[in-house]
Amino acid sequence: TDAKAQMAMVAKISGKTQKVVQQFPTSPNTNAVTSKSYNNNSNEFTITASGTYSGFYLTNTQLTFGHVYYLSASFKIPKAGKVRLNTDFAISANTYTRCEKVERVNANVTFYNLEAASGDIFYIKEAMAIDLTVMFGAGNEPNIDTCKKIFGNG
């Protein structure tokens, strides 16, 4: 299915929208986190790390394992390093960097600062996990470029 047809499909979705594009949990499971807060106005998590692999993750209670998802988040970390959105991304310091991918999810989805030190404060903004299998049907899930256009990051 081409991008225009997929965008038209998104416009036609009615009852599925609530399930497909759920509000991202404001209190997700955490790993190596001393404290976290969520700002609903800016759709941003502020996280204080207690060590490496600091951040949050989604499990099979929030995701359907075996489905294809569009995963996206903007990270802002205090020093250049690696973050993980199920895949490692190298990003610069002190500026928001959008990381995104399309993948079949078969395990927890991680949103981590891999190189955080205890006490580091970092931010995760506009986190998304959109179930493309429910939205478009199995085998019809769009690629990353189409997702960027559909969901406004391209």
Side-chain angles (χ1 to χ4, degrees):
T1 309
D2 69 12
K4 287 183 183 179
Q6 288 173 333
M7 285 189 251
M9 287 171 70
V10 171
K12 291 180 182 178
I13 292 171
S14 58
K16 289 185 181 180
T17 305
Q18 183 65 25
K19 182 175 182 186
V20 174
V21 189
Q22 293 178 335
Q23 174 66 36
F24 201 84
T26 57
S27 189
N29 302 300
T30 59
N31 187 68
V33 170
T34 302
S35 66
K36 71 173 175 5
S37 62
Y38 179 75
N39 182 322
N40 200 40
N41 292 328
S42 63
N43 192 15
E44 175 182 68
F45 290 91
T46 301
I47 298 170
T48 303
S50 62
T52 59
Y53 293 83
S54 178
F56 58 85
Y57 60 95
L58 301 177
T59 68
N60 64 344
T61 60
Q62 293 112 353
L63 304 167
T64 303
F65 287 178
H67 282 202
V68 176
Y69 281 81
Y70 168 65
L71 305 172
S72 177
S74 290
F75 292 83
K76 182 178 175 183
I77 58 178
K79 57 186 178 281
K82 290 184 180 175
V83 297
R84 178 170 291 166
L85 181 58
N86 269 25
T87 298
D88 296 355
F89 293 85
I91 67 171
S92 301
N94 297 314
T95 185
Y96 278 102
T97 302
R98 172 140 318 264
C99 302
E100 51 198 335
K101 64 183 298 187
V102 169
E103 80 170 38
R104 183 171 309 279
V105 170
N106 292 308
N108 294 346
V109 171
T110 57
F111 297 79
Y112 287 170
N113 179 349
L114 298 181
E115 300 170 6
S118 183
D120 279 357
I121 297 172
F122 66 98
Y123 306 89
I124 301 174
K125 187 174 182 177
E126 300 168 347
M128 292 186 249
I130 298 175
D131 190 330
L132 300 173
T133 303
V134 170
M135 186 175 269
F136 298 101
N140 296 315
E141 298 93 342
N143 63 27
I144 187 65
D145 293 329
T146 302
C147 284
K148 288 177 182 181
K149 291 175 187 167
I150 292 170
F151 302 111
N153 298 315

